[in-house]
Amino acid sequence: MRPVETSPHPVARRPSDLLSPPTPSAADKLEPSVPSKKREQSSPQQSQPPAPAMAGSQRYLRYIVFALVCLLLLFFISSSSSVPSNWPSYANSPAASPEKAQDGSKQPTSANPAADLPPATIPGERMNATFVTLARNSDVWEIAKSIRHVEDRFNRKFHYDWVFLNDAEFNDEFKRVTTALVSGTTKYGKIPKEHWSFPDFIDQDRAAKVRQQMKEAKIIYGDSVSYRHMCRYESGFFFRHPLMLDYEWYWRVEPSIDLFCDIDYDTFKYMADHKKKYSFTLSLYEYIETIPTLWDTVKNFTAAHPEHVAKDNSMGWVSDDGGETYNKCHFWSNFEIGNLNWLRSDAYIDYFNHLDRAGGFFYERWGDAPVHSIAAALMLNKDEIHFFNDIAYYHVPFTHCPSGEDYRLKHKCHCNPKDNFDWNGYSCLTRFYELHNWPKPVGYETDPH
Ligand SMILES: Nc1nc2c(ncn2[C@@H]2O[C@H](COP(=O)(O)OP(=O)(O)OP(=O)(O)O)[C@@H](O)[C@H]2O)c(=O)[nH]1
Ligand SMILES: [Mg+2]
């Protein structure tokens, strides 16, 4: 919050203050019956006995002067509170004149009694949950925007904590700005070096060559070392940071995202009550150039650890040929609400270690989105993955805007349904609906797509 600045100069509050003549002094207002000049003159005169005729006419003169002064005062007061004639008139507005309120009664100003406004704070138990953001100090203003959206649409009603993680120390500005915005408790953690560096089994020359080749092939973030550390960290470590060990549920938030609709219920509690472990709002196809050997590595893992594969899994969502090849569908992991105990489970840790040893985070450019998504698809039962259709979300360049105008209006959504990515050919949501044999959501037919 910006400090309130005090001005050393008296400031005119309205244009009329500059235009109107000065109002009488406080002293004049307190003793209106004796104008100040008159008071000064009166004492010498009182010392001489007045002639009777003079005394009468002087009294009348005084009354006349007094009446004139009163008239002048009244004129000054009324002219200083009037607005210039070229200002718009609100004379007929009920708000401007309470005595003209629509029901004809004189009403004092009162609070809006509308019953359908959501309460400022939603009562009830809170889950053991936190928001989590990986960010650099330079992300401060973009994460500030994201926090504002999350607070306005959800967290001002719940006050969940927010954990910030960084491979460097957070500076004071980052802490000040984010702490001021979050309604829950904020925590700031530095990532240990061993979670944000090349493991010793990685061949540095081979990794550098790949980066050069990807740069020439113009693959997005193809030559970036830090992006690779970020993807590896989000895949295998954030949930093990000491600050995260306190929690069971997380909601991942990135800089520059938008939430478009009010969320009036506790999404963490929803996950717990419905036995969900992982969730998404957007899904799409991955660039195959960044993960050429990921699926083969996964197949090696499932062959070695069949016990980690869920019976009622979502293989049909990630493979069109019963697991032979990967169809590249993944949940977009810049948004996630999920269960930290699942990520900390033996099954997930075995999976991550297997992938990490294969080296694809550095010899290719494996993203945390396909890594999380394949794990969820194969190691969770399909009912444990939740599609948050009601969380309207944007991360450049895609928007999830819920189907159905009725829902959007009731939840004060400000997304344009034309921007909805769900039924676009590059989205994997239709496949998800087919996997579950769900009909398309209400409003699908009438919304533009
Ligand atoms: N501390 C830290 N955080 C990073 C670094 N690189 C990325 N991040 C964070 O990791 C998350 C993902 O990075 P992004 O750059 O948004 O990656 P992306 O979403 O694939 O790409 P964009 O389309 O550019 O958003 C964000 O929360 C970033 O703030 C880094 O080097 N250090
Ligand atoms: Mg991002």
Side-chain angles (χ1 to χ4, degrees), residues 50-62:
M54 276 300 286
S57 62
Q58 255 185 0
R59 204 164 43 238
Y60 286 127
L61 201 61
R62 255 191 233 155

Side-chain angles (χ1 to χ4, degrees), residues 29 38 125 166 200 230 255 259 269 340:
K29 279 185 195 158
K38 266 289 181 214
E125 57 171 355
N166 188 354
D200 51 14
M230 180 276 285
L259 290 184
K269 186 159 163 32
L340 291 160

Side-chain angles (χ1 to χ4, degrees), residues 221 227 230 252 254-257 334 395-396:
Y221 299 117
Y227 194 83
M230 180 276 285
R252 173 171 165 183
E254 281 205 1
S256 321
I257 61 107
N334 47 64
H395 176 294
V396 66

Side-chain angles (χ1 to χ4, degrees), residues 128-130 132 163 165 195 233-251 277-278 308 338-353 372 375 379-380:
N128 188 12
T130 184
V132 60
V163 172
L165 302 173
H195 292 172
Y233 187 76
E234 293 286 27
S235 297
F237 297 105
F238 82 91
F239 46 85
R240 292 190 263 181
H241 190 282
L243 290 179
M244 296 299 287
L245 297 180
D246 293 343
Y247 301 99
E248 187 187 350
W249 300 95
Y250 73 103
W251 178 335
K277 298 271 169 58
Y278 190 80
H308 291 331
N339 185 285
L340 291 160
N341 289 341
W342 170 57
L343 292 174
R344 291 187 286 244
S345 69
D346 288 347
Y348 188 86
I349 297 292
D350 287 349
Y351 165 83
F352 172 74
N353 287 341
H372 284 186
M379 298 198 280
L380 295 178

Side-chain angles (χ1 to χ4, degrees), residues 27 85 96 252 265 341-342 370 376 400 403 406:
S85 58
R252 173 171 165 183
Y265 66 97
N341 289 341
W342 170 57
H400 166 62
S403 300
D406 195 37

Side-chain angles (χ1 to χ4, degrees), residues 56-209:
S57 62
Q58 255 185 0
R59 204 164 43 238
Y60 286 127
L61 201 61
R62 255 191 233 155
Y63 288 149
I64 288 165
V65 169
F66 174 57
L68 273 175
V69 169
C70 285
L71 278 172
L72 267 173
L73 275 173
L74 274 173
F75 171 72
F76 284 149
I77 289 165
S78 66
S79 66
S80 69
S81 61
S82 70
V83 295
S85 58
N86 59 347
W87 282 24
S89 161
Y90 300 103
N92 295 327
S93 141
S97 54
E99 62 273 20
K100 285 189 186 168
Q102 272 151 353
D103 64 357
S105 63
K106 258 195 177 181
Q107 298 237 329
T109 306
S110 63
N112 181 354
D116 54 352
L117 287 176
T121 297
I122 294 200
E125 57 171 355
R126 295 290 179 263
M127 304 304 292
N128 188 12
T130 184
F131 290 90
V132 60
T133 294
L134 176 66
R136 296 152 287 210
N137 287 313
S138 57
D139 291 320
V140 61
W141 298 112
E142 294 306 312
I143 196 61
K145 279 189 235 169
S146 300
I147 297 170
R148 194 64 263 166
H149 286 294
V150 172
E151 286 290 336
D152 288 349
R153 293 301 196 168
F154 174 81
N155 204 38
R156 72 187 168 84
K157 295 162 246 175
F158 296 96
H159 311 320
Y160 278 109
D161 293 353
W162 204 306
V163 172
F164 296 90
L165 302 173
N166 188 354
D167 57 307
E169 287 289 352
F170 281 113
N171 63 28
D172 283 349
E173 182 191 44
F174 189 99
K175 291 183 190 170
R176 271 199 318 275
V177 170
T178 51
T179 296
L181 290 168
V182 175
S183 62
T185 302
T186 49
K187 301 180 183 178
Y188 301 87
K190 184 160 182 226
I191 295 167
K193 191 85 192 132
E194 60 274 21
H195 292 172
W196 194 280
S197 49
F198 290 95
D200 51 14
F201 54 80
I202 292 295
D203 175 346
Q204 291 286 341
D205 292 341
R206 185 177 161 194
K209 255 185 221 142

